[in-house]
């Protein structure tokens, strides 16, 4: 019997992009497909964003230079905007990601993704909770951290300080903390 996960990879290559489509194709439950997708994701073969699945291409592994500070981006902290048309803007962390947002045409942004600081799961930047500032900093200062759950952000801030904010507030707070007088020159 052909390995279903191998088949799934081929189907994704062919354009299948949701668990529902895949479940229908194999005539198995969504749960079964989710389990396969989770394993494929853990193996680094696919990425999931906004309910869609994609083959993880080589370029996803390559270091991408931060559009703001030019540091190589670490996949765990990377903050990525995908623009209409597919162009991507990488930031090394939420700090630079929040700064970048103020400097790109916001209407052109299709997707904003990063990872939850605790679970490492991909999350939608725009619906996440942020902790801006605080006493620990894994990348750029002042730091910013992203959490899918506001409660996690609050507990994190209780321990390490910082402001618990939504995305819009976080961009303003970062600007305030950085006292940015002029636009940052970002390479797109
Ligand atoms: Zn950066
Ligand atoms: Zn950074």
């Amino acid at each position: 019997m052909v390995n279903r996960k191998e088949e799934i990879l081929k189907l994704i290559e062919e354009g299948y992009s949701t668990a529902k489509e895949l479940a229908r194709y194999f005539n198995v439950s969504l749960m079964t497909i989710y389990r396969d997708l989770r394993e494929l994701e853990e193996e680094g073969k696919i990425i999931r964003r906004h309910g869609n699945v994609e083959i993880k291409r080589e370029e996803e592994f390559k270091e991408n230079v931060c559009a703001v500070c030019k540091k190589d981006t670490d996949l765990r902290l990377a903050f990525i905007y995908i623009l209409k048309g597919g162009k991507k803007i990488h930031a090394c962390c939420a700090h630079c990601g929040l700064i970048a947002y103020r400097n790109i045409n916001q209407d052109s942004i299709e997707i904003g993704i990063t990872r939850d600081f605790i679970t490492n799961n991909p999350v939608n930047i725009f619906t996440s909770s942020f902790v801006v500032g605080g006493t620990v900093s894994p990348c750029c200062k002042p730091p910013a951290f992203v959490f899918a759950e506001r409660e996690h952000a609050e507990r994190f801030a209780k321990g390490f300080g910082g402001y618990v904010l939504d995305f819009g507030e976080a961009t303003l707070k970062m600007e305030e903390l950085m006292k940015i007088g002029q636009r940052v020159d970002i390479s797109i």
Side-chain angles (χ1 to χ4, degrees), residues 10-162:
K10 287 198 192 106
L11 288 167
I12 296 172
E13 285 273 21
E14 294 305 315
Y16 277 70
S17 63
T18 66
K20 208 186 266 177
E21 290 171 344
L22 292 165
R24 207 178 300 134
Y25 179 90
F26 290 105
N27 197 21
V28 296
S29 70
L30 263 178
M31 288 303 289
T32 304
I33 292 295
Y34 279 132
R35 192 168 55 230
D36 290 341
L37 292 178
R38 194 174 314 125
E39 288 176 15
L40 286 166
E41 191 178 42
E42 281 164 4
E43 289 163 24
K45 292 186 176 140
I46 61 164
I47 43 177
R48 293 192 286 174
R49 46 173 71 124
H50 286 208
N52 287 336
V53 287
E54 293 175 21
I55 299 286
K56 197 159 184 174
R57 313 261 172 212
E58 271 311 298
E59 67 198 50
E60 299 282 347
F61 290 106
K62 283 202 190 116
E63 291 145 316
N64 287 283
V65 172
C66 176
V68 176
C69 73
K70 319 297 180 206
K71 218 187 275 183
D72 284 340
T73 60
D74 169 341
L75 273 183
R76 212 186 117 76
L77 296 173
F79 209 87
I80 301 163
Y81 296 101
I82 301 173
L83 307 185
K84 289 166 189 152
K87 197 174 258 186
K88 292 183 188 173
I89 296 175
H90 286 258
C92 57
C93 62
H95 162 101
C96 284
L98 292 170
I99 292 171
Y101 183 75
R102 312 281 296 163
N103 292 275
I104 50 189
N105 175 2
Q106 291 153 17
D107 293 337
S108 70
I109 299 171
E110 192 156 52
I111 297 172
I113 45 166
T114 186
R115 288 174 180 270
D116 181 289
F117 191 67
I118 292 174
T119 65
N120 204 28
N121 291 328
V123 291
N124 177 350
I125 287 164
F126 304 110
T127 58
S128 295
S129 292
F130 289 74
V131 172
V132 176
T135 55
V136 285
S137 149
C139 193
C140 304
K141 286 179 191 166
F145 303 89
V146 183
F147 304 89
E149 314 261 352
R150 191 164 179 104
E151 191 205 332
H152 289 169
E154 277 158 4
R155 286 160 77 169
F156 184 85
K158 227 168 244 168
F160 298 106

